[in-house]
Amino acid sequence: MPSDPSPVLNPATPGGPVPTTVGATGSEFDTTKARKQSTLIVKRFLRHRLAMASLVVFLLIAAFGFLGPLFWTVSIEDTSSRGYLPPSAEHPLGTIQTGKDMLAQLIVGTRLSLAISLVVALGSTIVGVIMGTLAGYLRGVVDSAISRFVDLMLIIPQIAVAAILVRALSGSWYVVALILAAFAWMQTARITRGETLSLSQREYIEAARAAGAKTRWIIFRHLVPNMVGTITVNTTLAVATAVLSEAALSFIGLGVQSPDTSLGLIINENYSQITNRPWLFWGPFVIIVLISLAVNFIGDGLRDAFDPRQTKVRS
Amino acid sequence: MIRYIIRRVLISIPILLIGSVLAFFMVAGAGNPLAELKAKPGTTPQQIADLEASLGLDQPIIVRYWRWLLDFLQGDWGQSIALGQAKVEVFDSVMRALWITARLVVGAEVLAIVLGVTVGVIAAVKQYSIFDYLATSAAFLMFSMPIVCVAIILKTYGIQFNNVLQDLGFDRWLSTVSPAEGGFQGSFGEVVFQYTGTYLLPTLSLTLISFAAYSRFQRASMLETLNSDYVRTARAKGISQRRVIFRHAFRNALIPVSTLFSLNAAVLFSGAIITEAVFGWRGMGALLVSSIRTFDPYMLMGWLMVTAALVITFNLVADVMYGILDPRIRLA
């Protein structure tokens, strides 16, 4: 159970099992049942109406992208229709200039945009957390080196470097995702470094170190579990940022390239039709905004749920 | 303070230098600027080799970097390698593009700060009022909008607004193309008319995007100061509401917002690249995209170095502002 900050109870055996259900073996004299930290967090999140609604919206969009091909089997490569057909039973959202079916485009675009942003969020979080905790825990030379490296990475706009690298490598969705992730971890690193600096002053870290725990153990079993709230919130927000970055990059034509497609590329291909065939522009636009909004609200709900000062659910 | 600024400038020199090495290797490794020419039928290998030699592309990359650095430091930023066109000095192109973009970015940043701070303060003072909810919703919506779409929507309605103006018998006001080369002509009134018409929509798209962050940040920090002990003390002493808000709460609430200013620099620049692409401006964005397409190494290096220097300057300005706003921070 990663979010349970109970290792203090068992500092002498850093390799041993950490009891996660202390007090759960209730006796008949207990008036209240002890609950795990995670149960509380989930409960608080479930009570957050806006966040729950956002989660539903997000899951619906994900289902549209990932399960859509099961119901709508038109290929995005199919150019047999005429270009710019109006919506009809055969093409519910009409066709784009090249005669490709718009609904099929949207499904694939949504899937790849989501996949890109999830990879970016996870990748940048992993790298950022490792860099940040290393810098904050080890201090000294390591800290200076990592901090200066972060400064270095921040002086050039992400979109410029990413565009150069995409042009050099390729426009497949996973290449775009990895490139964006490589230039998105700095914020997470800064935040986790700051948090680690204050956490590593606490007694339980000192106790773990005194018990002979190794750096890796302390980082992954003591520091990271205690920052899990900050990290989770940050990861969700990174999804929103990544959706927008991908759209921007693909819009200038230096992101995802055909035959792959993405929401940004669909907007790039169709925005000239905004007055004549508005649905070609507003479709991808609404999906991007919904993803981004939903993820931001989910992040907000998570922040509240992880905040121990929240008293909406009594333990 | 001056010693602090000097030290910061000195620290940024090695950062820029290391950045330039990384950037040069990335740019040089990205692709061959002569690839298009090689693919063209009718070019002999001899021609390619001659061209490579004249451009210095046949040298090892370290040598090329070293030559570039020496020239760069002496003010010779090299020439564009874009083929089939007259040779262009990198310095001139970058500076011309920067001049167009800088006016856009600075205007948008100033507007965003003024608007964002005002909205944030009102939302905090009247917490949970209708204004607060409206401002919060607007900020969340703007946070989630891709700047591409904001620009496209503004451009579309700008054109329709122009059509309405024309139907009513006025001149078309809002421009949706790049500002004219050589500045605006005519009487003072006409220049103002053209200037505002040209800059309004792109500036607005950039402003709307960064305004969201400023207003949220300002609201949070204002709420914090409004609930702090010294504000309660000030109220208890009988100081008027207006004075408490402006002299005690607002001034202190501005301090954390100044950090956002430096974080926002790179964001604004990225936003400007997109906005320019939508409105077809020939600023830094267009220069970047066209140089990437042709793998133009010296142009890209010039672009990257100027942007990096600008971001560093923004960070420095933000830190100095932090020091001025908050006397507890001693910059030494």
Side-chain angles (χ1 to χ4, degrees), chain A residues 86-304:
Chain A
S88 63
E90 203 182 337
H91 301 289
L93 290 173
T95 57
I96 62 170
Q97 192 179 18
T98 47
K100 293 176 181 174
D101 181 60
M102 181 62 179
L103 182 57
Q105 292 270 317
L106 266 190
I107 290 173
V108 176
T110 306
R111 180 169 68 237
L112 292 187
S113 284
L114 272 180
I116 288 174
S117 28
L118 293 178
V119 170
V120 172
L122 286 179
S124 65
T125 304
I126 293 170
V127 178
V129 167
I130 292 176
M131 292 293 219
T133 43
L134 276 180
Y137 182 67
L138 294 177
R139 316 252 180 112
V141 186
V142 179
D143 185 19
S144 317
I146 291 179
S147 299
R148 289 293 86 73
F149 186 53
V150 167
D151 288 348
L152 188 66
M153 297 284 279
L154 282 172
I155 59 174
I156 290 172
Q158 181 204 28
I159 188 172
V161 192
I164 294 174
L165 289 175
V166 166
R167 175 87 167 93
L169 299 168
S170 84
S172 316
W173 72 267
Y174 51 89
V175 175
V176 174
L178 290 180
I179 290 173
L180 280 177
F183 293 92
W185 55 270
M186 289 85 78
Q187 193 71 19
T188 317
R190 279 195 169 172
I191 293 170
T192 44
R193 175 181 171 271
E195 195 132 328
T196 308
L197 279 178
S198 81
L199 277 182
S200 47
Q201 299 298 316
R202 303 271 178 89
E203 286 86 351
Y204 66 87
I205 300 288
E206 211 173 317
R209 213 172 349 186
K214 293 214 174 66
T215 303
R216 195 196 298 177
W217 178 267
I218 290 180
I219 286 181
F220 287 108
R221 296 309 289 267
H222 295 295
L223 289 173
V224 173
N226 280 295
M227 294 189 291
V228 86
T230 322
I231 296 173
T232 318
V233 172
N234 214 30
T235 311
T236 32
L237 299 183
V239 175
T241 322
V243 169
L244 300 184
S245 310
E246 183 281 316
L249 204 55
S250 298
F251 178 79
I252 56 171
L254 292 165
V256 174
Q257 311 279 329
S258 183
D260 280 354
T261 191
S262 73
L263 295 173
L265 192 60
I266 298 178
I267 288 183
N268 177 15
E269 285 164 351
N270 295 305
Y271 81 97
S272 57
Q273 301 301 315
I274 179 170
T275 39
N276 298 333
R277 298 171 188 83
W279 60 89
L280 290 183
F281 168 78
W282 294 99
F285 167 73
V286 167
I287 296 180
I288 291 181
V289 173
L290 279 182
I291 294 176
S292 184
L293 262 183
V295 169
N296 273 322
F297 286 136
I298 294 172
D300 245 33
L302 283 175
R303 198 197 322 259
D304 290 352

Side-chain angles (χ1 to χ4, degrees), chain A residues 44-66:
Chain A
R44 282 198 211 112
F45 185 77
L46 290 176
R47 294 264 174 103
H48 201 294
R49 259 179 279 156
L50 189 55
M52 280 311 288
S54 303
L55 187 63
V56 171
V57 170
F58 183 77
L59 290 177
L60 283 177
I61 294 174
F64 172 72
F66 287 91

Side-chain angles (χ1 to χ4, degrees), chain B residues 274-291:
Chain B
I274 304 298
T275 314
E276 287 180 359
V278 172
F279 286 93
W281 280 30
R282 286 183 291 276
M284 292 294 270
L287 189 65
L288 175 76
V289 174
S290 70
S291 323

